[in-house]
DNA sequence: CGACGGCGACTTTTT
DNA sequence: GTCGCCGTCG
């Protein structure tokens, strides 16, 4: 490379929404980075890296796989590596392809690179998610895959509505063959990179009486006529495009001198194909690809991620250098010890062991707590949080990580009662709200008159007397003439196909849209947006709505307009929304975070609470039933992710009773508890939570010490529980007994007594002989009377008269009084 | 067109 | 238990 930072010409006409002067920005970054390099022999940005990190940063030639354990400075390596590439003048910013999975990760990376090399990172146009980069490629080369470059990106909701239409058009019962299911199937196929012709015969047959393939074809055709893509297409179209046009692929090969991929363990097959097309070079040409990931944190297998991609990296890229980052900068020794011992139970892994130098005798061990039921669990966690708060800990430093979102509710209820601030992360998203989607549909239709889905969404919203009949007529008319529905509407009002009322109404809408479209170029887009919402009567619709949500919806609409200000045009805004569905959280508030384990990946907190460690919930029954060993290992990785989120304190909970689908079920502690190393774990012997009155006395942990007030609990079962408290403690997760059929029932119709793969299932049953015998009549505090069907150590299977068959610990039942 | 009642579902989630 | 969807009825 010589002077000047002019890029390869055909990349200069980026549809840059704001005002990056690519050349200048590029020069700025590289120049500053070089200045940083020249400032001293060892450039600042390399200072403070450990030897492995430094090697990962400096190994620029040839393929590199960085196996970066939790908290080992993965992002730092990625960003520093980019800075290093720039600083050493090996590539211009626009010659680096850097891929992440989420917009959030991309954003963070940009910020951190900016910190390293100073100033704008706008010179890095190819740093983004797989999907956003896919869009960028497609907008450029749309015609090669039969689209025009202003194609629409459909989200899940659009896709489902579209599929539903197709299913109905086929004359199929959309109840028997739900659109959602088929959307899921298409998604799976696309994750695997499969065209309709390539899908497995079995899959094709499985849906709609064998019409699966046919429907997939119809769906793709429909997308084409709509000039639209779904998310999967954003990956698949570029793949097709590259395969069909080697010359273009070659241009990109020359273009991208360095390729970096974050979270490689989460790539699915389509992403993998995409990446290989771009990364693999002819013999002799260095493949400067660097993938960073952690096989132990692969938790998205269920949505198509292939851990295998990371496991076979060295085969795909011969001569690859593999660098392990195992020095952890986040957590205490105990937390790492617990997590490491747990994850060691997995077989399919490359094998890393995290370590830290930080060792402090005052560090808490991982603490395991037992609670009677989920309500007590929530109450006790709440108390612990308040206790920490009294000791000057910020709520922002605490998180509750649950397996499934239904668990959140109990915590929310409790925290509302306590007046404890909390935030739920990953709930329903701003752009998915009804009013936002309606408003967006108006905007979409203005920008893209061919967007029939948008048209159908808002043609009668607010109500204008254009009901099903009219829409159907329009639909048929449009199909017959092969024009978009808005165009069809414009035509049909010239005819007498519609009744006068509908015709007049439709005429008004068409006129409105014509007007708005004419304003598109010369009116500020926020102004236009407001105008559209007002003139269409959409705002008025909510103003006249007296339901409780209406004011909030109006507020959201205002927020929508506000958020448009950051964009230069309505088109730019629409593109952003279709790809970036998240809205910023309010960081100012001091609040406990509540989220799923999945959404916690990549985050860290001083204190982490992990409730719900029970068989059937975690590991989840469905994973056990459907996914076999692989799924169990993924659940274990999820547990690993959970523990490794904690910097200093990690509290794990399990309960003995949980309500699932409205039914109380007795539950058994998660097998993962048994897989924790005793040396790094403490058992919470006492809980301060005393069960509330008026709840039948179920509020107290069976591990509570006897206390003066415990005479509230005078039921036989409770006494029994008290008496066997210490036994139960040990049996629950001290010694191990078999887990072959341990599961939470899923109601009468649920699968009964499934087992998991043999070898993982039953280890020896070591518990002492039971005081009960098969056939005994027993009483349980919650389930009433029943007969013992079978005994396994201290676990009894009982046919309860009223509650049906359950498995319970013997500490919770006593011999029934004969009557 | 809107209200109400019955019915089924109900892990995890990004783009 | 609760939510959301769908179909029916007024």
């Amino acid at each position: 490379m010589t002077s000047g930072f002019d890029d390869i010409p055909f990349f200069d006409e980026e549809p840059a929404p704001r005002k990056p002067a690519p050349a200048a920005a590029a020069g700025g970054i590289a120049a500053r980075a070089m200045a940083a390099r020249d400032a001293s022999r060892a450039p600042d940005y390399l200072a403070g890296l450990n030897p492995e990190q430094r090697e990962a940063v400096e190994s620029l030639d040839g393929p590199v796989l960085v196996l970066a354990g939790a908290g080992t400075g993965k992002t730092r390596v990625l960003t520093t590596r980019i800075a290093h590439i720039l600083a050493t003048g090996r590539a211009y910013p626009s010659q680096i392809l850097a891929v992440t999975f989420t917009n959030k990760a991309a954003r963070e990376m940009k910020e951190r690179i900016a910190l390293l090399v100073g100033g704008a990172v706008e010179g890095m146009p190819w740093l983004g998610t797989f999907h956003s980069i896919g869009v960028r490629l497609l907008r450029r080369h749309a015609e090669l895959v039969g689209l025009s470059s202003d194609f629409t990106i459909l989200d899940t909701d659009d896709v489902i509505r579209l599929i539903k239409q197709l299913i109905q058009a086929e004359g199929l019962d959309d109840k028997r063959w739900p659109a959602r299911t088929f959307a899921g199937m298409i998604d799976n196929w696309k994750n695997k990179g499969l065209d309709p012709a390539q899908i497995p015969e079995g899959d094709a047959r499985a849906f709609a009486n064998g019409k699966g393939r046919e429907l997939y074809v119809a769906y793709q055709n429909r997308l084409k006529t709509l000039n639209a893509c779904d998310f999967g297409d954003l990956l698949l179209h570029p793949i097709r495009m590259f395969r069909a046009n080697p010359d273009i692929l070659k241009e990109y090969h020359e273009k991208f001198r360095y390729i970096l991929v974050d979270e490689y363990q989460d790539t699915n097959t389509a992403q993998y194909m995409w990446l290989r097309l771009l990364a693999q070079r002819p013999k002799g040409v260095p493949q400067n690809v660097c993938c960073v990931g952690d096989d132990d944190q692969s938790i998205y297998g269920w949505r198509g991620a292939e851990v295998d991609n990371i496991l076979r990296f060295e085969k795909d890229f011969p001569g690859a250098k593999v660098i392990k980052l195992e020095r952890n900068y986040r957590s205490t020794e105990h937390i790492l010890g617990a997590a490491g011992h747990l994850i060691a139970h997995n077989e399919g892994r490359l094998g890393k062991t995290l370590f830290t130098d930080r060792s402090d005798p005052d560090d808490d061990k991982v603490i395991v707590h037992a609670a009677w039921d989920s309500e007590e669990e929530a109450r006790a966690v709440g108390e612990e949080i308040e206790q920490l708060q009294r000791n000057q800990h910020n709520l922002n430093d605490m998180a509750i990580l649950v397996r499934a979102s239904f668990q959140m509710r109990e915590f929310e209820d409790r925290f509302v009662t306590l007046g404890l601030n909390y935030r739920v992360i990953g709930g329903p998203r701003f752009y998915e709200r009804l009013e936002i989607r309606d408003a967006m549909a108006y905007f979409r239709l203005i920008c893209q008159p061919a967007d029939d889905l948008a048209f159908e969404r808002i043609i009668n919203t607010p109500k204008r007397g254009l009901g099903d009949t009219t829409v159907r007529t329009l639909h048929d008319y449009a199909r017959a003439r092969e024009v978009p529905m808005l165009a069809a509407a414009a035509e049909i009002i010239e005819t007498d196909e519609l009744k006068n009322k509908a015709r007049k109404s439709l005429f008004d809408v068409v006129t409105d849209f014509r007007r708005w479209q004419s304003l598109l170029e010369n009116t500020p887009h926020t102004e236009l947006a407001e105008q559209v919402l007002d003139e269409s009567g959409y705002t008025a619709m909510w103003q006249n709505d007296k339901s409780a949500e209406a004011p909030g919806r109006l507020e959201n609409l205002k927020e929508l307009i506000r958020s448009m200000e950051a964009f230069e045009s309505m088109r730019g805004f629409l593109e952003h929304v279709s790809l970036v569905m998240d809205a910023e959280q309010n960081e100012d508030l001091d609040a406990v975070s509540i989220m799923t384990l999945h959404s916690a990946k990549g985050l860290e907190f001083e204190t982490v609470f992990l409730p719900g460690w029970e068989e059937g919930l975690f590991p989840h029954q469905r994973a056990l039933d459907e996914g076999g060993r692989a799924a169990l290992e993924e659940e274990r990785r999820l547990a690993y992710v959970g523990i490794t989120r904690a910097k200093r304190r990690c509290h794990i909970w399990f309960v003995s009773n949980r309500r699932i689908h409205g039914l109380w079920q007795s539950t058994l502690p998660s097998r993962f508890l048994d897989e924790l190393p005793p040396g790094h774990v403490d058992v919470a012997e006492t809980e301060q939570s005393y069960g509330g009155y008026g709840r039948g006395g179920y509020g107290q942990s069976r591990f509570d010490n006897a206390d003066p007030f415990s005479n509230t609990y005078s039921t036989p079962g409770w006494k029994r529980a008290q008496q066997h408290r210490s036994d139960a403690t040990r049996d629950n997760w001290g010694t191990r007994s078999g887990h072959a059929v341990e599961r939470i029932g899923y109601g009468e119709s649920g699968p009964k007594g499934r087992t998991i793969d043999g070898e993982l299932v039953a280890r020896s049953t070591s518990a002492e002989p039971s005081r009960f015998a098969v056939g005994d009549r027993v009483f349980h505090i919650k389930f009433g009377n029943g007969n013992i069907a079978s005994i396994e150590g201290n676990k009894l299977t009982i046919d309860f008269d009223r509650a049906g068959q359950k498995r319970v610990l013997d500490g919770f039942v006593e011999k029934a009084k004969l009557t």
Side-chain angles (χ1 to χ4, degrees):
Chain A
M1 284 302 136
T2 48
S3 63
F5 287 94
D6 287 283
D7 209 336
I8 297 169
F10 72 92
F11 289 104
D12 280 350
E13 22 75 45
E14 306 289 346
R18 267 141 289 181
K19 35 125 209 267
I29 291 179
R32 286 201 214 190
M34 280 190 234
R37 176 197 57 186
D38 295 341
S40 65
R41 250 294 168 258
D44 311 348
Y45 61 83
L46 291 179
L49 295 179
N50 67 36
E52 295 77 32
Q53 290 175 328
R54 185 150 179 174
E55 192 185 3
V57 165
E58 293 186 309
S59 303
L60 294 182
D61 299 310
V64 178
L65 175 64
V66 181
L67 291 170
T72 55
K74 179 192 67 162
T75 309
R76 178 159 190 206
V77 163
L78 270 174
T79 51
T80 312
R81 186 178 163 97
I82 290 174
H84 188 57
I85 292 169
L86 296 174
T88 51
R90 283 169 169 252
Y92 307 126
S94 62
Q95 292 175 318
I96 299 172
L97 173 67
V99 200
T100 63
F101 270 82
T102 63
N103 292 296
K104 194 172 154 220
R107 216 181 306 133
E108 273 170 21
M109 219 150 117
K110 278 191 185 170
E111 282 163 14
R112 290 182 62 169
I113 294 171
L115 285 179
L116 281 175
V117 298
V121 201
E122 249 121 308
M124 283 205 58
W126 300 97
L127 190 169
T129 63
F130 276 100
H131 297 268
S132 64
I133 290 169
V135 173
R136 200 181 193 87
L137 291 168
L138 274 183
R139 295 258 184 244
R140 251 178 227 297
H141 306 287
E143 70 291 349
L144 296 177
V145 292
L147 294 168
S148 76
S149 70
D150 61 345
F151 62 84
T152 317
I153 301 163
L154 302 185
D155 67 20
T156 322
D157 201 77
D158 296 321
V159 167
I160 289 171
R161 285 188 303 135
L162 198 159
I163 291 176
K164 189 164 188 172
Q165 290 176 2
L166 292 173
I167 288 175
Q168 286 167 344
E170 280 289 319
L172 294 161
D173 178 3
D174 63 321
K175 224 160 175 180
R176 173 125 188 264
W177 306 109
R180 184 174 290 281
T181 308
F182 194 65
M185 291 175 74
I186 290 185
D187 200 48
N188 284 335
W189 291 327
K190 291 193 171 179
N191 284 160
K192 295 193 178 117
L194 300 176
D195 285 336
Q198 300 167 309
I199 63 173
E201 196 56 37
D203 279 15
R205 248 182 250 286
F207 196 83
N209 310 318
K211 287 191 175 166
R213 193 188 311 273
E214 207 178 306
L215 277 172
Y216 187 7
V217 172
Y219 171 74
Q220 288 306 122
N221 287 337
R222 190 84 186 95
L223 288 184
K224 192 166 268 187
T225 46
L226 286 173
N227 189 32
C229 276
D230 62 16
F231 285 123
D233 287 340
L234 298 181
L235 297 172
L236 292 190
H237 281 324
I239 292 174
R240 288 181 196 122
M241 191 260 293
F242 284 140
R243 285 190 177 152
N245 303 275
D247 49 320
I248 291 182
L249 178 59
K250 189 158 171 280
E251 286 174 9
Y252 282 92
H253 277 169
E254 283 160 14
K255 166 92 188 152
F256 296 134
R257 305 179 144 241
Y258 289 91
I259 297 178
L260 297 93
V261 186
D262 193 13
E263 306 279 19
Y264 191 57
Q265 78 283 351
D266 287 338
T267 45
N268 62 35
T269 305
Q271 286 157 340
Y272 170 78
M273 290 173 6
W274 186 97
L275 188 69
R276 280 193 47 165
L277 274 169
L278 283 167
Q280 287 194 326
R281 301 297 153 87
K283 262 204 169 69
V285 181
Q287 305 180 96
N288 296 329
V289 56
C290 172
C291 293
V292 181
D294 181 359
D295 51 315
D296 290 334
Q297 292 187 71
S298 157
I299 54 175
Y300 286 110
W302 51 274
R303 69 178 197 210
E306 292 280 343
V307 207
D308 226 39
N309 293 345
I310 198 169
L311 301 178
R312 64 159 188 249
F313 184 86
E314 292 175 84
K315 274 188 215 123
D316 291 330
F317 297 97
K321 185 183 267 186
V322 178
I323 299 165
K324 285 185 187 181
L325 303 183
E326 298 174 289
R327 179 184 296 269
N328 177 289
Y329 296 96
R330 178 186 295 157
S331 311
T332 66
E333 226 181 342
H334 291 311
I335 289 164
L336 294 180
H341 196 264
L342 175 80
I343 198 65
H345 288 77
N346 273 2
E347 284 173 19
R349 60 192 292 257
L350 294 168
K352 292 183 301 325
T353 308
L354 298 181
F355 66 92
T356 179
D357 294 339
R358 281 173 39 182
S359 167
D360 183 340
D362 287 344
D363 283 341
D364 288 348
K365 293 186 175 181
V366 170
I367 304 178
V368 175
H369 307 252
W372 172 251
D373 63 11
S374 48
E375 201 178 327
E376 186 196 292
E377 179 183 59
R379 187 169 48 243
V381 168
E383 273 167 28
E384 224 170 315
I385 290 172
E386 289 186 315
Q387 184 64 43
L388 285 165
Q389 208 178 9
R390 280 192 287 276
N391 293 328
Q392 318 305 320
H393 291 93
N394 285 330
L395 296 179
N396 277 336
D397 294 331
M398 307 175 206
I400 298 169
L401 311 182
V402 298
R403 176 63 183 86
S405 34
F406 75 82
Q407 293 173 261
M408 293 178 180
R409 188 179 173 152
E410 211 130 19
F411 290 98
E412 292 191 61
D413 287 351
R414 187 64 197 155
F415 295 170
V416 167
T417 315
L418 292 175
L420 200 62
N421 290 335
Y422 68 88
R423 70 169 67 87
V424 171
I425 298 185
R429 288 182 279 168
F430 184 74
Y431 292 113
E432 280 168 8
R433 289 169 205 202
L434 176 99
E435 65 278 16
I436 301 301
R437 295 185 49 84
D438 286 342
M440 297 292 297
Y442 275 97
F443 306 155
R444 271 164 61 180
L445 194 52
I446 291 165
C447 292
Q448 300 177 43
D451 193 337
D452 284 2
L453 288 162
F455 179 91
E456 286 179 57
R457 182 174 183 103
I458 48 83
I459 187 59
N460 202 29
T461 308
K463 302 276 181 276
R464 355 179 126 85
L466 298 169
D468 272 359
T469 336
T470 316
V471 172
R472 189 142 319 138
T473 314
L474 259 176
H475 204 268
D476 294 345
Y477 191 96
R479 281 286 179 95
R481 267 150 237 255
E482 298 186 322
V483 294
M485 290 180 76
L486 185 58
E491 283 180 36
I492 212 168
I493 51 177
E494 305 293 334
T495 73
D496 50 8
E497 289 226 21
L498 295 175
K499 288 204 216 95
N500 254 342
K501 212 170 141 212
R503 191 171 149 190
K504 170 73 174 72
S505 186
L506 193 57
F507 174 81
D508 290 343
V509 181
V510 170
T511 316
D512 281 342
F513 271 97
R514 281 202 180 121
R515 186 176 62 255
W516 295 327
Q517 274 159 4
S518 72
L519 293 172
L520 187 57
E521 300 308 327
N522 297 316
T523 312
H525 61 295
T526 48
E527 214 169 281
L528 175 60
E530 246 169 310
Q531 196 179 334
V532 169
L533 294 184
D534 288 343
E535 292 177 3
S536 64
Y538 193 74
T539 319
M541 179 180 101
W542 289 115
Q543 281 163 348
N544 297 332
D545 188 311
K546 57 226 167 292
S547 67
E549 307 93 76
R553 295 193 194 272
L554 285 165
E555 194 46 52
N556 287 339
L557 289 171
K558 277 191 201 140
E559 176 60 35
L560 177 72
I561 308 273
R562 265 197 296 277
S563 66
M564 291 176 83
E565 284 166 13
F567 295 82
E568 197 161 74
S569 69
M570 193 169 269
R571 271 180 222 283
F573 177 68
L574 289 177
E575 175 110 337
H576 169 83
V577 171
S578 58
L579 289 172
V580 183
M581 297 289 287
D582 57 350
E584 291 298 316
Q585 286 269 347
N586 176 10
E587 305 273 317
D588 305 334
L589 183 72
D590 189 37
V592 185
S593 297
I594 305 178
M595 69 187 96
T596 63
L597 287 160
H598 283 93
S599 37
K601 192 165 79 156
L603 305 178
E604 58 179 28
F605 300 89
E606 292 287 317
T607 306
V608 164
F609 296 93
L610 303 170
W613 283 44
E614 297 122 38
E615 285 292 299
L617 177 59
F618 193 34
H620 199 278
Q621 192 58 42
R622 204 128 144 194
L624 300 177
D625 287 346
E626 291 166 14
R629 240 236 354 258
L632 176 60
E633 294 209 344
E634 183 156 309
E635 294 281 300
R636 191 177 282 114
R637 290 193 291 268
L638 202 47
Y640 174 80
V641 167
I643 297 172
T644 53
R645 296 312 93 196
K647 288 154 94 170
R648 308 208 63 83
R649 281 172 294 276
C650 177
H651 293 258
I652 301 177
W653 292 78
F654 70 93
V655 304
S656 306
N657 294 279
R658 192 174 287 281
R659 196 164 51 186
I660 294 180
H661 306 333
L663 293 170
W664 280 100
Q665 308 283 163
S666 71
T667 54
L668 293 163
S670 171
R671 70 192 69 193
F672 298 151
L673 291 167
D674 302 317
E675 296 171 357
L676 298 173
H680 292 296
V681 176
D682 268 336
V683 186
E685 288 292 347
T686 54
E687 288 310 321
Q688 294 91 337
S689 74
Y690 298 111
Y693 293 83
R695 289 176 47 255
Y698 295 139
Q700 187 158 13
S701 163
R702 66 186 185 278
F703 301 108
D704 282 4
N705 288 322
D707 71 272
F709 307 106
S710 63
N711 58 8
T712 323
Y713 307 103
S714 51
T715 54
W718 181 251
K719 282 186 186 155
R720 179 64 64 207
Q722 292 275 303
Q723 181 188 330
H724 284 261
R725 182 165 56 78
S726 51
D727 291 346
T729 307
R730 178 161 27 78
D731 287 342
N732 272 338
W733 48 280
T735 59
R736 183 20 130 216
S737 40
H739 263 137
V741 293
E742 289 166 3
R743 53 183 303 281
I744 302 175
Y746 274 81
E748 303 317 319
S749 57
K752 293 272 183 203
R754 300 263 183 88
T755 57
I756 316 134
D757 296 55
E759 92 262 18
L760 284 160
V761 176
R763 271 167 269 156
S764 67
T765 299
S766 57
E768 56 277 24
S770 178
R771 343 175 244 123
F772 298 104
V774 172
D776 279 1
R777 185 84 178 148
V778 292
F779 174 81
H780 184 279
I781 188 172
K782 202 122 201 168
F783 305 126
N785 287 315
N787 298 316
I788 296 180
S790 66
I791 298 176
E792 226 182 299
N794 62 332
K795 298 176 186 74
L796 312 174
T797 304
I798 301 172
D799 290 319
F800 286 105
D801 301 351
R802 283 194 323 238
Q805 193 173 78
K806 304 259 185 261
R807 292 187 39 105
V808 296
L809 292 175
D810 63 2
F812 291 94
V813 298
E814 68 165 20
K815 293 210 165 90
K817 293 184 193 79
L818 295 170
T819 41

